Amino acid sequence: MQRDELELDLPPAFEIGQKVRIRKLIKNDGTFPGQDIGAVLAQKGDVGYVASIGTFLQNTYIYAVHFLDTGFVIGCKKKELEIVEENNESNATNE
């Protein structure tokens, strides 16, 4: 994506229901209710599922990711997430 190109001009990078992994530590910036500012919401490597897709400032997708271990639903940018490949897991359960 070039500098003058808006992310919203492209389809979302992730789909609702898709399994994703956090690429960096996520702390509360004051927008997550019930947790102190600076509290750790998700550790690098935590896995969750995309629950919904919204936008921020009319130029960026925000992915609401539900982390089953904590119950938290955290808004994440594309650069903070990566897809979890399930090929090995699904093959192991089918055998």
Side-chain angles (χ1 to χ4, degrees):
M1 187 166 67
Q2 296 178 355
R3 292 183 126 205
D4 59 346
E5 186 176 36
L6 292 177
E7 184 178 339
L8 296 184
D9 289 341
L10 304 170
F14 307 102
E15 298 177 8
I16 293 175
Q18 193 164 31
K19 191 174 185 179
V20 293
R21 179 180 297 115
I22 290 287
R23 297 178 67 189
K24 65 177 219 150
L25 180 74
I26 304 290
K27 293 184 177 183
N28 185 12
D29 60 2
T31 59
F32 193 93
Q35 297 290 320
D36 292 334
I37 294 175
V40 174
L41 300 176
Q43 299 279 348
K44 180 179 179 179
D46 284 355
V47 173
Y49 296 86
V50 177
S52 66
I53 303 169
T55 61
F56 178 69
L57 296 178
Q58 299 178 346
N59 66 2
T60 306
Y61 287 111
I62 296 294
Y63 302 91
V65 179
H66 184 199
F67 296 92
L68 300 179
D69 291 343
T70 61
F72 291 166
V73 178
I74 303 169
C76 301
K77 295 179 181 177
K78 174 183 162 183
K79 68 182 179 181
E80 298 171 326
L81 300 170
E82 63 187 10
I83 295 172
V84 174
E85 297 294 334
E86 295 191 66
N87 293 342
N88 294 338
E89 293 175 25
S90 61
N91 289 342
T93 57
N94 290 335
E95 293 178 6

